[in-house]
Amino acid sequence: MTTKIFRITDISKASSEIEEAARIIKRGGTVAIPTETVYGLGANGLDENAVRKVFEAKGRPQDNPLILHVADDDWIERYCEDVPKEAYELTKRFWPGPLTIILKRRSLVPDITTAGLPTVGMRCPDHPITNALIRAADVPIAAPSANISGRPSPTSFAHVLKDMDGKIDAIIDGGDCAVGLESTIIDLTVKPPRLLRPGGVTLEQLRDVLGEVKVDETINSLMGNDEKPKAPGMKYRHYAPKAPVTVVCGSPEKSAQYIQKQDLGNKGVLCFDEFAHMFDEKRTLSFGSSTDLKAQAERLFDALRAFDDMDVSEVFAQCPVEEGLGIAIANRLKKAAGFRIVDLGRD
Ligand code: TXA
Ligand code: MG
């Protein structure tokens, strides 16, 4: 199939492109969409056949449910029931934005979308193009990240094109993603609420609104194959470049020194900007200063993908401080490493 490309730089002049993309969604097609977190692979979340195409294009296991993207929190009751008041406390503060809320689903949401779960993830992305598209299509858009399953999520149009060209109906090029990591996922169907995936809305911010929040164990460890995680997607190795990754945790100085002492040969290094001079520039990528978590989040997946085009047999990566947004960055790095971690301690 030929994948149609919509390039949108000025939304005020893009109404015909958005209408056309909305028609593709309404008639059951697949459109990759820009969001503030990562690009999504969108389809009408109420249309079984359309959702099936999303699973096929990604090569995604059927037991991994999709998130429904909506235009605002008025749409929640259309697809969810028994919605607790905490859901609206969260949406008031963080929507549109990088927060997915797990709620009890209504039966009009098909099984394929939620992988048979009685719950569904709801998110309102903070991106004008995608918000206009959802309103124009007037359906909730089911959208996993627009990467081939197992690859790092796409944070630029080039990443989406590489993974999806020829497999889906259209891609909307809306520029680079501002956050660069997938949304935070909070489950409100359990008490206390449980953080299933860290992201741009931090644990501290969630606790500020909700009080007690439990952190799911899968965030810090590898799941056994026969265990049943709450967010099924968390059991798969993810975000992974082709070369195996080792994450080195500790103060930035210590982790840089540790990596420098390894027999690096043709191994790659992912480090903070200020340590790049310590390593062979041909096999080293930096992803922001050690103190700039925002830059690290934005650049991480691009760097992980870039190692695939370099001749490296293995990658050593410096781990950010695990506070605030650093929890999410460290989580994605550790997942890319299949939880191969060297922990040097912080002091
Ligand atoms: O930022 C994002 O959330 C991006 C953009 C496109 O919006 N989407 C995204 O989707 O990351 P995906 O499918 O790559 O990741 C969704 C995660 C998976 O780990 C899935 O298992 C989990 O959300 N999930 C979805 N529905 C769930 C549910 N009802 N209960 C628990 N986990 C759920
Ligand atoms: Mg994904």
Side-chain angles (χ1 to χ4, degrees), residues 38 58 60 64 144-147 149-154 182 197 238-239:
V38 302
K58 278 181 62 83
R60 180 174 174 111
N64 195 358
S145 49
N147 51 287
S149 220
R151 301 256 299 144
S153 295
E182 309 84 348
R197 182 173 72 183
H238 254 114
Y239 319 115

Side-chain angles (χ1 to χ4, degrees), residues 3-273:
T3 300
K4 177 152 187 129
I5 309 294
F6 297 105
R7 275 181 212 285
I8 302 183
T9 43
D10 181 353
I11 187 163
S12 66
K13 296 188 188 121
S15 55
S16 71
E17 283 92 343
I18 287 170
E19 283 304 326
E20 193 179 338
R23 277 197 297 277
I24 297 175
I25 295 281
K26 278 195 276 199
R27 53 159 209 265
T30 45
V31 180
I33 51 175
T35 85
E36 81 285 23
T37 58
V38 302
Y39 273 79
L41 174 49
N44 178 355
L46 303 181
D47 176 342
E48 261 186 61
N49 286 323
V51 172
R52 191 165 297 115
K53 292 179 196 165
V54 169
F55 280 92
E56 280 166 10
K58 278 181 62 83
R60 180 174 174 111
Q62 292 280 343
D63 66 351
N64 195 358
L66 308 185
I67 295 169
L68 287 185
H69 295 69
V70 294
D72 62 46
D73 60 5
D74 289 347
W75 288 37
I76 291 178
E77 300 277 341
R78 299 188 197 176
Y79 314 114
C80 302
E81 56 192 11
D82 302 337
V83 180
K85 69 172 189 338
E86 287 81 3
Y88 295 104
E89 290 168 11
L90 291 174
T91 61
K92 295 252 146 7
R93 181 133 164 220
F94 301 117
W95 277 16
L99 179 67
T100 296
I101 306 174
I102 306 291
L103 296 164
K104 196 168 156 199
R105 72 155 156 159
R106 288 191 191 275
S107 55
L108 90 161
V109 181
D111 275 341
I112 184 166
T113 302
T114 69
L117 292 176
T119 57
V120 62
M122 302 293 291
R123 168 160 135 75
C124 176
D126 187 12
H127 198 292
I129 297 173
T130 290
N131 277 59
L133 175 67
I134 297 167
R135 283 187 199 279
D138 199 29
V139 294
I141 297 188
S145 49
N147 51 287
I148 293 169
S149 220
R151 301 256 299 144
S153 295
T155 54
S156 71
F157 169 71
H159 296 162
V160 182
L161 193 67
K162 177 140 205 232
D163 281 14
M164 291 297 153
D165 193 23
K167 296 183 188 159
I168 60 178
D169 293 303
I171 303 173
I172 301 178
D173 177 356
D176 292 350
C177 302
V179 178
L181 299 178
E182 309 84 348
S183 61
T184 303
I185 304 180
I186 182 85
D187 186 351
L188 290 188
T189 67
V190 291
K191 279 207 167 77
R194 187 186 288 244
L195 177 72
L196 301 183
R197 182 173 72 183
V201 171
T202 64
L203 182 58
E204 293 87 335
Q205 287 176 309
L206 291 172
R207 286 189 170 142
D208 201 35
V209 175
L210 298 171
E212 190 185 357
V213 173
K214 269 191 98 168
V215 176
D216 201 69
E217 309 81 64
T218 53
I219 290 173
N220 292 309
S221 65
L222 195 58
M223 270 262 129
N225 270 341
D226 41 356
E227 285 176 77
K228 225 175 160 31
K230 282 284 278 174
M234 299 303 273
K235 81 177 175 209
Y236 299 103
R237 183 170 179 250
H238 254 114
Y239 319 115
K242 287 168 196 149
V245 178
T246 301
V247 185
V248 185
C249 301
S251 72
E253 291 73 23
K254 265 200 194 167
S255 59
Q257 279 160 15
Y258 175 91
I259 296 171
Q260 197 181 32
K261 282 197 208 110
Q262 305 306 302
D263 175 16
L264 287 174
N266 69 339
K267 297 180 182 128
V269 176
L270 177 61
C271 67
F272 303 124
D273 294 349

